[in-house]
Amino acid sequence: MPLTVTPVPCLSDNYAWLLRASDGRLAVCDPGEADPVIAAADALDGRIDTILLTHHHGDHVAGVADLVKRYGCTVVGAAADAHRLPKLDLAVKPGERFELFGVPVDVIASDGHTRGHIAFHLPDCAILLCGDTLFSLGCGRLLEGTAAEMFDSLAALAALPPETLVCCGHEYSESNARFALSIDPDNAALQARAAEIARQRTEGRPTLPTTIGEEADANPFLRAADVAALARIRAAKDNFR
């Protein structure tokens, strides 16, 4: 695999994602905090060359300034969100492709949680960096976008190959599993995934990445039949305790 990906826990429940090339070069997606990313890079005797940003929220960008100051990183993010992001060196648009360490990266529109949200798909590595659009057994809150926008965004991600690694922004899997089971209790794939999540968290391990195939089988948001169904499920999750 040209690049490998590793979660770096940040803040209370965020993940930044560290991408490592075969020659040792490093990139990071959504560094909500600098120190854990620096520690992860130091452990590999490396330096962060590139920062990828999916959206503007502080818990995904707060570490950028310190990383740029330390490493002189190239910062990549959405042109449509550039006014709310840290200063970009490369502003990209959905449908475009760029290269990261010689590996192609496709930019996918992911509106819904926020407008201007993007995801990064690395087809040669089966990696999806999806920020707060798709979660393990969940999806992002509709803070700026609509259910229709989120439905379209999830449909685009669901169309990716089933082995694609889903690298999302938060460790929400346990609470998402409880909600998913409350509305789809007879789903065997969901039951198995919930049991695995419980084991992972008991052992202190991340529940991520998951895969597009696993989400297609168990994630109620990805399985919603239409916009109205997604809107109902999202509203129910917003009020779930």
Side-chain angles (χ1 to χ4, degrees):
M1 181 181 290
L3 294 178
T4 58
V5 65
T6 304
V8 179
C10 297
L11 304 171
S12 62
D13 57 23
N14 278 70
Y15 288 122
W17 290 91
L18 191 68
L19 298 152
R20 186 171 187 264
S22 56
D23 63 7
R25 286 180 292 175
L26 300 174
V28 66
C29 181
D30 287 356
E33 192 176 13
D35 286 349
V37 174
I38 293 169
D42 286 349
L44 296 170
D45 293 322
R47 53 182 292 113
I48 306 297
D49 289 289
T50 305
I51 298 172
L52 307 177
L53 301 176
T54 62
H55 66 296
H56 70 275
H57 284 162
D59 61 332
H60 291 253
V61 306
V64 171
D66 286 344
L67 293 175
V68 170
K69 182 177 180 180
R70 184 181 182 93
Y71 300 113
C73 318
T74 296
V75 182
V76 183
D81 216 18
H83 61 292
R84 302 190 290 184
L85 290 169
K87 184 179 182 299
L88 300 178
D89 300 293
L90 177 61
V92 296
K93 299 177 182 178
E96 292 184 344
R97 170 173 281 192
F98 65 96
E99 288 195 352
L100 176 66
F101 308 146
V103 173
V105 181
D106 293 325
V107 182
I108 302 175
S110 294
D111 295 313
H113 178 62
T114 65
R115 290 204 165 93
H117 195 303
I118 56 174
F120 300 100
H121 177 224
L122 288 66
D124 292 357
C125 309
I127 292 171
L128 171 68
L129 303 161
C130 53
D132 285 358
T133 297
L134 174 63
F135 293 126
S136 171
L137 303 181
C139 79
R141 285 180 178 267
L142 304 179
L143 298 181
E144 296 177 5
T146 66
E149 288 171 331
M150 179 62 81
F151 184 83
D152 289 345
S153 296
L154 293 177
L157 302 185
L160 298 176
E163 68 273 15
T164 303
L165 298 176
V166 176
C167 303
C168 54
H170 291 274
E171 182 56 74
Y172 289 165
S173 300
E174 277 189 305
S175 61
N176 286 346
R178 289 194 297 272
F179 171 73
L181 285 168
S182 77
I183 62 170
D184 193 11
D186 299 324
N187 183 324
L190 172 56
Q191 293 168 356
R193 177 69 182 132
E196 175 62 15
I197 287 167
R199 284 192 294 271
Q200 290 168 321
R201 297 312 290 161
T202 297
E203 295 167 2
R205 294 188 289 127
T207 64
L208 302 167
T210 178
T211 68
I212 289 293
E214 289 175 313
E215 295 308 306
D217 289 339
N219 187 323
F221 297 93
L222 214 60
R223 293 165 60 82
D226 52 34
V227 173
L230 177 66
R232 287 195 300 272
I233 296 168
R234 186 61 258 180
K237 179 63 167 68
D238 289 345
N239 295 300
F240 184 77
R241 296 292 181 270

